[in-house]
Amino acid sequence: MASFLYRTGRFAFRRRHFVVLIWVALLALAGVGAANAPAAGSSSFSVPGTESQKAFDLLDERFPGTGADGATARVVFKAPSGERLTEPAGKKAVRKAVSELRQGAEVASVDDPYTAGAVSRDRTIAYARVAYDVPGMELRDSSREALETAAEHARDSGLTVEIGGDALQTAPETGATEVIGIAVAAVVLVITFGSLVSAGLPLLTALIGVGIGVSSITALASTLDLGSTTSILAMMIGLAVGIDYALFIVSRFRAELAEGRRGEEAAGRAVGTAGSAVVFAGLTVVIALVGLSVVDIPMLTKMGVAAAGTVVVAVLIALTLVPALIGFAGKRVRPANAGGLFRRRGGDARQHAHRAHRAPRAERPNMGTRWARFVIRRPVAVLLLCVAALGAVAVPAGSIELGLGDDGSQPVSTTQRRAYDLLSEGFGPGFNGPLVVVTDAKGTDDPRGAVRDVAADLKGLDDVAAVTPATFDQAGDTAIITVVPASKPSSGETEELVGAIRAAGAGITDRTGAEVSVTGTTALNIDTSQKLTDAMLPYLALVVGLAFLLLIVVFRSVLVPLKAALGFLLSVMAALGAVVAVFQWGWLGSLLGVEQTGPIMSMMPIFLVGVVFGLAMDYEVFLVTRIREAHVRGERPGQAIVTGFRHSARVVTAAAVIMIAVFAGFIGSHEAMIKSIGFGLATAVFFDAFVVRMAIVPAVLALLGRRAWWLPGWLDRILPNVDVEGEGLRPADTADEVEAPGPAAEPEPARA
């Protein structure tokens, strides 16, 4: 592989005009496709194989034309203090608002609170349900404005009016802190390289890669039913890995220049060595993201595949566009002590001789060298301290509660949240999460009798606040009964009630033959959380297993990949613990803009595991590859660790800081899932890069010594030799390609 990538790097450097033209054309093509594509609607959410999903499908079949996919809004009215909505003034204001709501162009129906029984017992709170012909994401702005205008007119009459439901749903946006994250990345790159040109290359190529990836997702969003969240997550991951992959290529290129190689040869070697690490690191990320498909939740699968596609683009750009742009940058990308390396072959012989015979300057040990020496002197203490610290942070993960967000998780400043609270106040905490009980009595002798039995059993269950009369389909053999729990939707009591209804339904099926199932948003949330929990172990086995085999090929070792996997488990559990502490327990929540604590988004843990695993293997590959390179060239185990850290610790640190900054930028999003994922990824990268890879890895390698690179003989014979260290490139060190010997060790990037 190293030889192929070496030739690729030289070709891209030499034919840079052609390579840049290809990537610019791809960016333009993706941009045109995105600009002309129809707007993406809300991605349909389904959880195949669950009882709640089967019930939804049955409702679509037996109750056609009910507009189940259409947006809904609940306009909630509250009377002024000391007044009631049943009084003439209040009733007049509410009915005027209802009449105004019915004038909307996309409105399918509006329920009158006084005829629909939507007035609270104390007559102070009522709501009007508004149904639309189109989904929430497809509503025209004029429809949303008409909804808000009607509410404002009702407020003018003295009522408190708030709006809930998905009619006000808009595409999630990230906060301005995303730009701050990119700015931090730029500063870190300038400090690392000491050059604006060298710092600008990773940023430019990453933005091009993200532009191609996100534009392609936007262009295909309507066709493939991709939700708006998909492009945000793809941008989050693509931007982070794109900067990091380019950073490693540029850094290795500068190191090759410092050793005396000319531009084209240095580019080829940078891609042949660091590029090999980029390929395998990218593969681990892709495996982790595509592996999300084993959960069998279409939306999660699409998110993972779309993000994986953006990672593939980032890898290809790092291998081709980066060396091409290096060719254009010329001497401006070189380190300060690599003068003349971009000139024609030959040059001034006297200058060559002067550089060749100049005594190398003693190199001061850099921070990576000093840290590695510190760790290998005290490996046991460092290992125990780091494991104990991560274990302590991971403790909250043991009490994680999963759920899907609703209006109750919105900030208290939103009208959706205030409407949610008013409905809970007027109709009970379970009103915002009703359970839909579907009775399929087709084929039974007495369908209506079976439905009466179901209703009677439901009324006798604990934690039931109300049971509505059954609604039958046209054939009269399928009925819907709405059950309002006495507890809030995300509570354990409501989850137990769902289980009790299903148990009672099994008994009714045995007696009458009618099938009873529970659905609705609350039941779907419960089933989704359970499915994700059940899928966690198979997912981990698949992803960790495939990556373990891949890392055996890369490092030609069994213990190093095993250490990498165990270190990942430590960092991801610590990250989950931090997420629970902030978003569920509320610790430091005010500093991060977390206005409402509650259950963690159901998809968040498994998505975090997938992404963090891929990113953790990035640092493992970049760092340990350099250590193995020194080991293969004959250095003792301890010295190989020091050499690896001297060459790569500074760059890995910079890459981690950049990735943390990019992910932290998404904490500013108002979307709860984006905010929690941004925080979780930033925290996980911090733990994995600075605790696991920078401390635990050298400590374990120091304790293992030469045993770290042990590989059974039979396995060594059957494994392909991918030559990540670039050993096959050593014969290329000829007088034609090396201008003058450089210092004994490659220099660090310029210090700020």
Side-chain angles (χ1 to χ4, degrees):
M1 173 176 286
S3 298
F4 170 75
L5 294 177
Y6 167 79
R7 293 192 297 271
T8 300
R10 294 193 64 166
F11 173 84
F13 185 95
R14 190 169 57 251
R15 299 286 186 264
R16 47 189 173 272
H17 293 87
F18 173 74
V19 173
V20 170
L21 181 63
I22 290 294
W23 282 109
V24 170
L26 289 175
L27 179 61
L29 184 64
V32 170
N36 295 319
S42 55
S43 179
S44 57
F45 183 81
S46 62
V47 189
T50 61
E51 178 179 315
S52 53
Q53 185 62 50
K54 292 176 182 176
F56 267 127
D57 296 339
L58 180 64
L59 289 176
D60 286 339
E61 176 188 342
R62 304 288 175 85
F63 293 85
T66 56
D69 293 334
T72 60
R74 286 199 286 197
V75 182
V76 187
F77 307 92
K78 182 176 182 180
S81 179
E83 299 181 18
R84 295 184 178 182
L85 292 177
T86 51
E87 296 173 357
K91 186 176 291 189
K92 179 181 178 181
V94 170
R95 283 189 164 158
K96 182 180 178 181
V98 168
S99 177
E100 188 173 350
L101 289 168
R102 286 174 177 160
Q103 306 305 314
E106 296 174 303
V107 172
S109 64
V110 180
D111 294 337
D112 186 322
Y114 300 101
T115 58
V119 181
S120 64
R121 290 184 179 180
D122 62 5
R123 306 295 187 263
T124 61
I125 297 175
Y127 69 91
R129 182 181 181 275
V130 185
Y132 291 87
D133 294 321
V134 296
M137 295 295 292
E138 298 176 18
L139 271 180
R140 293 196 295 263
D141 290 340
S142 58
S143 295
R144 294 193 181 94
E145 290 171 2
L147 178 63
E148 293 171 344
T149 299
E152 190 61 37
H153 289 167
R155 291 189 188 104
D156 292 340
S157 64
L159 302 180
T160 298
V161 185
E162 305 295 347
I163 306 171
D166 61 354
L168 296 182
Q169 179 182 2
T170 57
E173 299 178 356
T174 54
T177 49
E178 175 191 344
V179 179
I180 297 176
I182 297 177
V184 171
V187 171
V188 172
L189 287 170
V190 171
I191 292 174
T192 302
F193 288 129
S195 163
L196 289 175
V197 174
S198 297
L201 281 176
L203 278 177
L204 176 61
T205 55
L207 290 173
I208 291 174
V210 168
I212 293 174
V214 173
S215 296
S216 300
I217 292 171
T218 304
L220 299 172
S222 179
T223 304
L224 301 181
D225 190 28
L226 302 177
S228 53
T229 306
T230 303
S231 60
I232 294 179
L233 295 175
M235 177 172 62
M236 180 192 301
I237 297 169
L239 190 61
V241 300
I243 294 175
D244 276 8
Y245 294 166
L247 167 64
F248 281 98
I249 298 290
V250 173
S251 176
R252 187 61 184 250
F253 172 77
R254 286 160 55 93
E256 295 295 335
L257 286 183
E259 291 185 0
R261 296 185 177 87
R262 296 182 182 277
E264 183 178 330
E265 173 68 8
R269 286 180 164 273
V271 176
T273 52
S276 297
V278 166
V279 169
F280 283 101
L283 276 176
T284 58
V285 179
V286 169
I287 288 172
L289 291 171
V290 175
L292 292 170
S293 59
V294 303
V295 182
D296 194 25
I297 295 180
M299 188 179 80
L300 192 60
T301 299
K302 293 172 186 177
M303 289 165 57
V305 172
T310 306
V311 172
V312 171
V313 172
V315 171
L316 294 176
I317 281 182
L319 300 179
T320 57
L321 184 59
V322 170
L325 293 179
I326 285 174
F328 282 111
K331 62 183 180 180
R332 287 168 293 182
V333 81
R334 66 186 180 183
N337 60 349
L341 298 181
F342 275 88
R343 289 197 294 269
R344 289 180 174 273
R345 294 179 184 176
D348 189 332
R350 286 174 299 178
Q351 290 183 6
H352 291 184
H354 174 71
R355 279 196 300 271
H357 292 90
R358 184 173 56 195
R361 185 176 58 187
E363 184 182 0
R364 178 185 176 186
N366 62 18
M367 181 64 73
T369 300
R370 295 195 296 272
W371 173 252
R373 288 172 178 169
F374 171 81
V375 173
I376 62 178
R377 284 197 302 267
R378 304 169 181 82
V380 176
V382 170
L383 180 62
L384 293 178
L385 179 62
C386 291
V387 171
L390 291 178
V393 178
V395 168
S399 61
I400 188 170
E401 298 176 5
L402 301 179
L404 293 180
D406 55 16
D407 286 347
S409 61
Q410 297 274 4
V412 293
S413 58
T414 62
T415 186
Q416 295 96 321
R417 171 61 187 279
R418 292 195 294 266
Y420 182 96
D421 292 340
L422 285 176
L423 290 172
S424 296
E425 176 187 342
F427 301 92
F431 185 80
N432 285 293
L435 304 175
V436 179
V437 180
V438 183
T439 303
D440 181 7
K442 189 175 183 179
T444 62
D445 296 334
D446 183 10
R448 292 188 176 271
V451 172
R452 284 195 298 270
D453 288 347
V454 172
D457 285 0
L458 292 176
K459 292 176 181 177
L461 295 176
D462 294 334
D463 204 51
V464 172
V467 177
T468 65
T471 301
F472 285 85
D473 65 345
Q474 290 184 350
D477 55 19
T478 305
I480 299 174
I481 301 174
T482 301
V483 177
V484 178
S487 303
K488 62 181 182 179
S490 59
S491 66
E493 291 83 359
T494 299
E495 184 173 351
E496 292 175 2
L497 175 59
V498 171
I501 294 174
R502 288 172 174 169
I508 292 173
T509 301
D510 293 338
R511 295 198 313 267
T512 66
E515 296 184 3
V516 179
S517 54
V518 186
T519 186
T521 302
T522 301
L524 184 63
N525 290 353
I526 293 171
D527 289 347
T528 301
S529 299
Q530 187 59 50
K531 185 165 187 174
L532 288 166
T533 301
D534 294 341
M536 182 66 79
L537 286 180
Y539 173 70
L540 277 174
L542 173 68
V543 173
V544 175
L546 288 176
F548 182 79
L549 295 176
L550 184 66
L551 292 180
I552 288 179
V553 174
V554 174
F555 296 127
R556 306 193 74 79
S557 165
V558 174
L559 297 179
V560 170
L562 180 61
K563 166 197 60 63
L566 294 176
F568 151 73
L569 292 176
L570 279 173
S571 58
V572 78
M573 289 304 297
L576 281 175
V579 169
V580 170
V582 172
F583 290 89
Q584 185 176 312
W585 293 359
W587 293 5
L588 303 179
S590 59
L591 297 178
L592 299 174
V594 180
E595 297 185 26
Q596 178 65 26
T597 61
I600 305 301
M601 295 290 291
S602 298
M603 289 182 290
M604 195 272 178
I606 199 165
F607 192 85
L608 180 69
V609 166
V611 176
V612 171
F613 180 79
L615 299 180
M617 295 306 104
D618 277 5
Y619 298 119
E620 180 75 13
V621 170
F622 290 135
L623 184 62
V624 180
T625 295
R626 211 62 194 265
I627 296 174
R628 175 170 171 76
E629 186 177 333
H631 169 75
V632 167
R633 293 179 180 176
E635 293 189 11
R636 299 186 312 275
Q639 184 57 39
I641 295 171
V642 174
T643 300
F645 269 71
R646 180 174 70 246
H647 292 326
S648 56
R650 184 177 178 86
V651 178
V652 169
T653 299
V657 172
I658 289 169
M659 197 169 283
I660 291 169
V662 171
F663 288 148
F666 289 85
I667 298 175
S669 172
H670 296 297
E671 187 76 11
M673 183 175 180
I674 301 297
K675 181 187 287 286
S676 61
I677 287 180
F679 173 80
L681 290 178
T683 305
V685 169
F686 174 81
F687 290 145
D688 195 84
F690 294 111
V691 181
V692 174
R693 308 303 154 188
M694 287 293 184
I696 293 179
V697 165
V700 172
L701 290 178
L703 290 172
L704 291 175
R706 295 186 183 276
R707 294 186 298 274
W709 310 107
W710 170 77
L711 187 69
W714 63 269
L715 187 57
D716 185 42
R717 289 189 294 271
I718 65 175
L719 285 180
N721 184 11
V722 296
D723 190 21
V724 177
E725 300 83 14
E727 281 296 295
L729 306 182
R730 297 186 75 179
D733 280 332
T734 64
D736 241 5
E737 298 296 351
V738 180
E739 182 171 340
E746 73 179 49
E748 292 181 84
R751 297 181 186 274

